[in-house]
Amino acid sequence: MSDASRGIANLEELVQALAPDDRARFERIFKVTTTIGELKAPETMHDWIRKYFGSLEAVQKQRIVKVTNLITLEAALFNELRASRPMEVKDAADLEQTILSNVGDPFCKPLEGTPEDVFGRVKGKHCITASNVAKYDGFHGLVIFDQHNPLRFTADEVQDYFDTALCWAREAHCADKEARYFFLMWNCLWRSGASILHGHMQMTLGRGMHYARVEHLRRSALLYKLAHGTDYFGDLYAVHRALGLTSEDEDVRILSYLAPIKEREVILVSQHLDQNLKQAVYRVLKCFVEALGVRSFNLALYMQPIDSVPEDWSGFPFVVRIVDRGDPNNKTADFGAMELYASSVITSDPFQVAQTLAKALSQQA
Ligand SMILES: [Zn+2]
């Protein structure tokens, strides 16, 4: 198959062409349905359609690929045409200027502008923790970066942010032994939900059970192992690798996910939360910002509880999920009723993301 046809629009054909073992593994995890959407446009619309979508034919017959992860029931609807649909015209506000004009925000002086946790602050090499003012859990903290600009980060800094967050989790656990479920997230710029522009991560340490999405993934992987006798995360990676959707960075497995929650979702899987994983996160983020032009993103870390709990977490790896939240100048929200209540509608092609990522990672090496 030529390179041009190695795209999400041809996923069904690509799966048909896999070796029998790979295909069986793919079909255990994913279901793919391809359909054609057709329409008849009046003469009066033809010029407009050609101007925005290139050709009349591209709009009159549109290929839509629906990918469902049968194990987690995550699903995506891919239609490349939607990438070129008309959106509100961007205003010319220069993002860099906006970021600069916010210097002097409360996070620029965290000791004066933010509260501390009951156990105090954890000081990293390039950051300091704070207690979140309006909490979503008993322990809800921030890693406030020394660097104001959230799009400027080095490998050393990213590693330090993770280390400081984990140190915070241990402090919080010492303060409350019942709090065991750690969740780390990074919302970058306002489209991702960040209310403060200044670079920061957030983390929580919860009681009772993990957050619903994390618990759902644990249960899904456990049921997969019971049903098929193999490891879900290993098989998920193997399926993506067979299709050319993966990269490896030391022992970290990086995949361009076929059922992304939103645009360009990349998942990193590792058995250890070590330097390799933190470096790989940095390298993927660098590729997001520099090669893919991402400005606003969400990052989440899923991991086992930090102390013993009754339920079975054996084999659950460290999972980092990173997703592009779109152009900060765009007023149209990327999440609508489809994403909230049905399936995610995606315009980016995981095959293109994988290619860009593989190239960027090999150049960074
Ligand atoms: Zn600042």
Side-chain angles (χ1 to χ4, degrees):
M1 203 169 260
S2 75
D3 251 22
S5 52
R6 286 202 68 85
I8 195 70
N10 302 307
L11 184 58
E12 263 192 278
E13 292 92 316
L14 293 167
V15 172
Q16 300 288 329
L18 289 176
D21 277 5
D22 286 331
R23 192 174 152 189
R25 197 186 287 116
F26 181 94
E27 286 167 355
R28 272 208 302 268
I29 299 185
F30 289 110
K31 181 168 178 66
V32 182
T33 312
T34 308
T35 187
I36 306 286
E38 294 187 63
L39 56 78
K40 290 180 190 166
E43 192 77 41
T44 45
M45 282 187 75
H46 289 189
D47 281 350
W48 180 84
I49 287 173
R50 283 195 196 93
K51 186 175 165 199
Y52 284 103
F53 298 103
S55 79
L56 205 54
E57 296 69 38
V59 173
Q60 278 172 336
K61 274 186 189 255
Q62 309 172 24
R63 189 184 269 220
I64 295 127
V65 176
K66 179 164 71 182
V67 183
T68 304
N69 181 326
L70 301 167
I71 310 307
T72 61
L73 291 180
E74 294 163 301
L77 295 156
F78 293 95
N79 178 355
E80 282 171 318
L81 187 67
R82 291 184 63 86
S84 50
R85 91 192 142 131
M87 284 278 212
E88 191 175 325
V89 181
K90 293 176 196 174
D91 69 48
D94 184 359
L95 183 61
E96 197 71 15
Q97 196 50 49
T98 309
I99 291 172
L100 268 176
S101 69
N102 262 268
V103 169
D105 62 76
F107 287 7
C108 282
K109 292 180 190 162
L111 296 180
E112 296 150 45
T114 66
E116 63 177 34
D117 281 293
V118 286
F119 50 83
R121 296 184 195 264
V122 180
K123 179 104 181 66
K125 277 191 290 173
H126 307 287
C127 60
I128 190 164
T129 67
S131 190
N132 209 356
V133 174
K135 300 187 180 306
Y136 15 92
D137 213 328
F139 287 103
H140 180 184
L142 304 160
V143 170
I144 298 176
F145 309 165
D146 292 346
Q147 168 64 256
H148 169 82
N149 187 332
L151 293 169
R152 292 235 175 89
F153 44 81
T154 64
D156 192 43
E157 284 166 352
V158 170
Q159 182 165 343
D160 182 51
Y161 303 155
F162 272 82
D163 292 343
T164 305
L166 284 159
C167 213
W168 176 94
R170 284 190 289 273
E171 294 282 339
H173 182 58
C174 281
D176 175 7
K177 290 285 179 197
E178 293 297 310
R180 298 180 169 121
Y181 298 93
F182 178 61
F183 184 66
L184 177 65
M185 69 210 110
W186 181 354
N187 299 332
C188 179
L189 293 179
W190 50 91
R191 295 232 352 143
S192 71
S195 57
I196 303 266
L197 193 151
H198 186 115
H200 67 283
M201 286 184 180
Q202 299 184 63
M203 59 277 179
T204 59
L205 193 73
R207 285 164 159 240
M209 70 180 282
H210 216 315
Y211 295 122
R213 295 263 162 95
V214 193
E215 173 65 9
H216 179 69
L217 183 59
R218 181 190 73 83
R219 291 185 190 196
S220 302
L222 210 60
L223 289 174
Y224 186 84
K225 187 149 207 172
L226 283 172
H228 305 293
T230 58
D231 173 53
Y232 168 70
F233 297 98
D235 279 3
L236 184 74
Y237 183 74
V239 160
H240 284 78
R241 190 182 50 202
L243 288 163
L245 291 167
T246 59
S247 292
E248 259 175 83
D249 191 18
E250 301 293 336
D251 54 353
V252 181
R253 296 170 154 190
I254 304 169
L255 55 96
S256 180
Y257 190 33
L258 278 170
I261 179 115
K262 206 56 204 178
E263 303 305 328
R264 300 182 177 85
E265 190 179 23
V266 169
I267 300 182
L268 297 90
V269 181
S270 177
Q271 296 309 313
H272 314 280
L273 183 47
D274 55 6
Q275 190 175 350
N276 288 347
L277 178 57
K278 295 165 206 162
Q279 289 282 323
V281 167
Y282 159 73
R283 285 148 64 91
V284 170
L285 285 177
K286 185 174 154 79
C287 168
F288 261 49
V289 174
E290 289 178 7
L292 292 167
V294 173
R295 291 294 172 265
S296 187
F297 59 81
N298 295 110
L299 177 153
L301 167 69
Y302 290 178
M303 59 184 265
Q304 297 189 10
I306 61 169
D307 202 349
S308 59
V309 291
E311 73 273 12
D312 180 9
W313 286 84
S314 57
F316 194 93
F318 294 90
V319 180
V320 177
R321 305 182 70 156
I322 306 175
V323 67
D324 173 16
R325 297 303 305 277
D327 184 345
N329 291 319
N330 194 339
K331 277 192 191 141
T332 307
D334 60 343
F335 276 66
M338 279 302 289
E339 284 75 13
L340 291 173
Y341 298 125
S343 289
S344 293
V345 180
I346 309 293
T347 57
S348 53
D349 184 336
F351 286 85
Q352 280 173 15
V353 174
Q355 253 182 31
T356 309
L357 201 54
K359 194 173 157 208
L361 293 178
S362 69
Q363 283 169 351
Q364 284 177 35

